[in-house]
Amino acid sequence: MNVELDMDGVCADFLQTYLELGESINLPVKPPYTDNSKNPELFRIAVLEHNIFTNLPLMPGAVELKAYLERLERIYAIKITMLTSLNSYEPDVMEAGRIQKQAWLDHHGFKWEMKCVSANAEKANYAAPNSILIDDNPECVTPFLNAGGQAVLYRGFGRDFLNQFEGCF
């Protein structure tokens, strides 16, 4: 079994930091707060000038989720990979985002391999019957399911998540 774990919104709190940055530099993001509503100018500035991914706070429950997955990895030999979107096709933004995300993962002790895609829907390229995506974004979960993988729409670590995730086995 392979577990594909999302970073932003599951492990790292991108949205709050992004919204605060937008307000502080007078490029606010308007609701609804989906990946499709991101202001490309703000996103570029956030990555290239503010290294946004490097200093994101942990999401509530991220430490517990990490410990749970590490335990499953040891007991059941499950392969866990970080599967994260860079939300850009611009080479400089993609490279800076990749470096920043890896630094964040290293700093917080996430030792799993990181795979990056340019857009959320591309996560479906990693779907397989023996793979489970853990992601907070329906724009990632739905294509992954449609491509033949299993997925859990993550809303925090707790009983609901555990029931959904363990139901995939």
Side-chain angles (χ1 to χ4, degrees):
M1 183 67 63
N2 297 321
V3 174
E4 307 291 350
L5 181 61
D6 177 46
M7 180 177 156
D8 304 310
V10 173
C11 300
D13 190 351
F14 172 81
L15 183 59
Q16 187 61 40
T17 304
Y18 186 71
L19 295 175
E20 290 171 1
L21 176 62
E23 289 294 328
S24 74
I25 62 172
N26 203 27
L27 288 172
V29 178
K30 305 286 188 244
Y33 304 121
T34 66
D35 288 336
N36 292 333
S37 71
K38 286 190 179 126
N39 176 325
E41 180 184 3
L42 172 58
F43 189 74
R44 183 174 177 74
I45 291 169
V47 174
L48 297 179
E49 296 178 24
H50 294 270
N51 299 311
I52 190 167
F53 293 114
T54 304
N55 298 308
L56 297 175
L58 284 162
M59 287 293 291
V63 171
E64 294 83 357
L65 175 62
K66 178 177 171 282
Y68 171 75
L69 292 174
E70 287 171 337
R71 186 169 51 97
L72 288 182
E73 183 180 40
R74 283 190 309 274
I75 295 170
Y76 299 109
I78 292 171
K79 180 176 172 39
I80 301 169
T81 306
M82 300 302 301
L83 181 57
T84 186
S85 178
L86 298 169
N87 292 303
S88 178
Y89 288 97
E90 298 179 52
D92 56 342
V93 174
M94 291 172 60
E95 181 62 11
R98 186 193 62 72
I99 290 168
Q100 291 170 33
K101 286 183 177 219
Q102 188 63 62
W104 187 93
L105 292 168
D106 292 345
H107 175 74
H108 291 285
F110 288 81
K111 301 299 181 194
W112 301 307
E113 173 191 1
M114 180 180 70
K115 299 176 194 169
C116 296
V117 295
S118 296
N120 287 329
E122 294 174 9
K123 290 183 179 184
N125 295 336
Y126 293 95
N130 69 335
S131 62
I132 305 170
L133 174 67
I134 301 172
D135 204 299
D136 66 306
N137 189 337
E139 294 173 13
C140 299
V141 168
T142 301
F144 200 89
L145 290 168
N146 291 340
Q150 301 177 70
V152 174
L153 184 60
Y154 188 78
R155 294 292 181 237
F157 187 78
R159 187 178 317 270
D160 288 342
F161 165 74
L162 294 171
N163 288 339
Q164 289 178 40
F165 181 73
E166 291 171 2
C168 293
F169 289 92

